Amino acid sequence: MPPTPNVRLRQLLETADWNAAQLARAIRQVATEHGTPVACDRSSVSRWLTGVRPRPPAPQFLLEALSRRLDRPVTPEQAGLTRAPDRMPPVSWEAAPLRTLALLTEAELAPARRTPLTTAPFSPLALAVPGLPLPGPPSPDGERGADDRRGGGADADRMDAMAEVFATAAERLGGGPVRAPLAAYLAHDVTARLRAPSSGTVHRRLLAKAAQLTLLLGRICADGGDDAVAQHYQLVAARLSADARDHGTLAIALRTMATHAHDLGHSGPAVRRLAELACEHARYAPPVVQAYAQAHLAVLQAGYDRRAALTALDRAERLRLDGAEAPGPFTAYSLGALHYQRAQTLATLGDRAGTVRALTASLRARAPGERHARTLTHARLAEAQLGMGHLDAALPHWAAFLDAYPSLDSVRATRRLGLMRRHLRPHRRHPGAARLLGRADGLG
C-alpha cells in the first residue's frame, strides 16, 4: 500500500511559512553545524510529505530546524515522525535537575541509550534562561551555618578532590578517557549523596559541588564534539547551582554556556544575555570568578561595541591581578587563559598584531599542567601568524601542536588538525610546510 501522507509535517511547514526547499536548506545547515552533513533537498522533503520516513540522522535535524523556526520544541509526534529515534531526554529549566542528571549519566554508561544523546544537534532554544534572583551582599550572620558546613564537609571535600582529579586528567589527556569515569561517579556516588537526608545548608553545599562536577562533564562532552549533550549538562549545572544559591558557580555555568555557544558560531542576543547574566551573578563572587565572566563578555561584545569590549577586558585583567585565587578547576583562572580571551577579543576587533602578541603571552603564561590548553594555543597562534603572512613564524607552532596531538583524545584538537591541513596545502611546496603535512597525514 502507498504511504499515508504526513499531514502533521505539512501543517508545521505551513505554520513555519516554509516551502520544501527552505526546510531542506535549514536541515542542511543544522546538520553542518553538527558536523554530519546530510544529502537533503526539496525532493527529499516532498517524499517525506507523502509519508516516506526520513532516514536517521535526518529526523533529528528536521526536528531541530523546525524548533528553531517556530521558537518552540517540536516533538517527533508533532511532526508525524513517531518512529523517529528518541531525542535527548527532555531537559528544561523547569525539569527536576537531579532526575535529569540521573537520566543523562545513566544513558552515558549504556551504549544503546547513549546513541540518541550523541546524535542530537545543539539547540539555541535551550540558551533561554529565565530571570533569576540576583545576589545581594553577604549577610552578616553568614557564619551561623558553620556547624552544618562542617557536618557535610567530608562529602563536599571528596567531591572537590574528585573534581580536581578529573579536571587534571582531562587537561593532560583530553576529555575522552575521563568522560565515562566522571559520568559513573555522578551517576552512582554523587546522586546517592544528594538523595540522602541532610540539613538545608549541607544539601545546598553538596548541590553546588555536584553542579561543578556536572559542568566539568559538560566541558568534556563539548571537547569531544557532543555539543547537545554538553549543552544539557551545562543547563543542569546552572539549575543545580541556582538551587544551591551558589551564585559563583552559577556565574561559571552561565559563562560556560555562552562560551560554548559562541565557539559553535552563535553570538546573538541570547548568547550575549548569558554572558551579561554571568557577570551579574559573579558580582559578590571572588574576583577570579568576576574576571572569568568579564573576559568572555569582552569576547562577545567585540563584535558589537569596541569600547565596551575593551572596558570589559580591562576590568577582567584588573580583577584577575588584584584578586587572590586558590588552586582548583573552579577557584583559579590562569593568566594564560586570560591572555587567550584577550586574543579572541582583539581578533574580532581586527587587531592581528595584538592577537599574535596576546597568544604569545598566553603560551608563556601557561603552566606545565595546562597541556591541552597549550596545545590548542599553539595551533591558534600558528593560524594567526599565517593570517599575517608569516609562514615561517607559524611552522614551529604547528610543529609543537603535532608533537602533543597524539597524546590528546580531543575533538577540538582534531578540528584544529584539519584546519592546519587546509591552511598549509596552498604552501605544500615550502619544505617546512611539506614536512608538517606529511606528519599530519601520518596521524590519520
Side-chain angles (χ1 to χ4, degrees):
M1 294 180 63
T4 303
N6 190 335
V7 177
R8 293 182 179 181
L9 180 57
R10 185 173 297 279
Q11 289 173 338
L12 283 173
L13 265 182
E14 292 174 355
T15 302
D17 194 23
W18 267 352
N19 58 35
Q22 290 169 314
L23 175 58
R25 184 163 52 250
I27 291 171
R28 292 196 302 271
Q29 179 181 340
V30 173
T32 300
E33 290 177 11
H34 189 59
T36 312
V38 297
C40 177
D41 56 20
R42 180 181 56 80
S43 62
S44 305
V45 176
S46 297
R47 287 195 299 273
W48 301 340
L49 290 170
T50 66
V52 175
R53 301 282 181 181
R55 295 180 179 178
Q60 299 276 18
F61 303 141
L62 183 152
L63 294 172
E64 178 60 25
L66 287 170
S67 297
R68 294 184 187 185
R69 176 68 173 181
L70 298 173
D71 199 26
R72 61 177 172 82
V74 175
T75 67
E77 292 76 14
Q78 291 169 341
L81 304 174
T82 53
R83 296 179 188 174
D86 291 337
R87 302 183 76 193
M88 293 282 293
V91 181
S92 70
W93 189 264
E94 290 74 24
L98 288 182
R99 174 172 169 74
T100 300
L101 179 62
L103 288 172
L104 288 168
T105 52
E106 288 168 7
E108 286 273 356
L109 303 174
R113 296 177 61 192
R114 187 179 179 186
T115 300
L117 296 180
T118 57
T119 57
F122 180 91
S123 177
L125 291 178
L127 298 175
V129 173
L132 302 171
L134 294 174
S139 61
D141 60 347
E143 293 303 312
R144 288 188 305 178
D147 291 339
D148 278 343
R149 284 197 293 275
R150 282 196 293 272
D155 285 341
D157 288 346
R158 276 193 290 269
M159 290 187 194
D160 265 339
M162 292 301 290
E164 187 164 359
V165 168
F166 287 124
T168 300
E171 186 60 38
R172 288 180 59 84
L173 305 172
V178 181
R179 180 169 173 173
L182 176 51
Y185 178 62
L186 280 163
H188 301 147
D189 293 65
V190 173
T191 54
R193 288 189 174 93
L194 290 172
R195 287 170 177 152
S198 62
S199 70
T201 304
V202 169
H203 186 66
R204 287 194 297 273
R205 189 178 180 200
L206 295 177
L207 280 176
K209 299 305 177 185
Q212 293 174 357
L213 286 159
T214 303
L215 194 56
L216 180 58
L217 181 53
R219 291 176 181 173
I220 288 170
C221 291
D223 185 57
D226 289 332
D227 296 306
V229 189
Q231 181 181 35
H232 286 77
Y233 280 126
Q234 292 159 6
L235 189 61
V236 170
R239 175 61 194 275
L240 288 171
S241 55
D243 289 351
R245 305 177 198 169
D246 185 331
H247 292 277
T249 301
L250 178 56
I252 295 172
L254 295 171
R255 195 270 206 191
T256 302
M257 291 171 66
T259 301
H260 183 210
H262 179 258
D263 288 345
L264 295 176
H266 302 280
S267 57
V271 181
R272 296 199 301 278
R273 179 57 183 155
L274 284 176
E276 291 165 354
L277 279 174
C279 293
E280 291 173 5
H281 284 278
R283 188 179 307 162
Y284 291 103
V288 67
V289 177
Q290 297 181 51
Y292 182 73
Q294 288 287 338
H296 190 65
L297 180 62
V299 173
L300 287 172
Q301 287 178 327
Y304 301 88
D305 187 332
R306 178 185 181 89
R307 176 175 294 181
L310 293 176
T311 298
L313 188 59
D314 180 66
R315 188 178 299 121
E317 291 172 343
R318 284 188 284 104
L319 286 164
R320 167 61 181 76
L321 294 174
D322 293 344
E325 63 178 12
F330 295 95
T331 52
Y333 179 38
S334 77
L335 189 57
L338 178 58
H339 284 307
Y340 191 86
Q341 266 82 64
R342 168 177 275 278
Q344 287 184 297
T345 303
L346 295 178
T348 302
L349 294 175
D351 184 352
R352 292 187 174 186
T355 300
V356 168
R357 288 194 298 271
L359 288 170
T360 302
S362 177
L363 274 179
R364 290 173 179 163
R366 293 291 186 187
E370 295 181 273
R371 186 176 188 178
H372 185 243
R374 175 183 290 275
T375 302
L376 295 177
T377 304
H378 272 298
R380 291 277 189 161
L381 181 51
E383 293 162 16
Q385 290 279 21
L386 186 63
M388 295 181 67
H390 302 159
L391 175 61
D392 288 334
L395 295 179
H397 293 292
W398 268 316
F401 167 76
L402 292 177
D403 289 342
Y405 177 84
S407 64
L408 291 179
D409 186 348
S410 164
V411 169
R412 290 172 66 197
T414 301
R415 289 170 179 165
R416 299 249 78 82
L417 179 66
L419 278 174
M420 188 201 82
R421 287 186 175 119
R422 288 199 290 275
H423 284 310
L424 286 182
R425 280 191 188 114
H427 307 279
R428 56 185 174 272
R429 293 187 178 180
H430 185 287
R435 284 194 295 273
L436 290 181
L437 284 170
R439 288 182 61 189
D441 290 342
L443 296 173

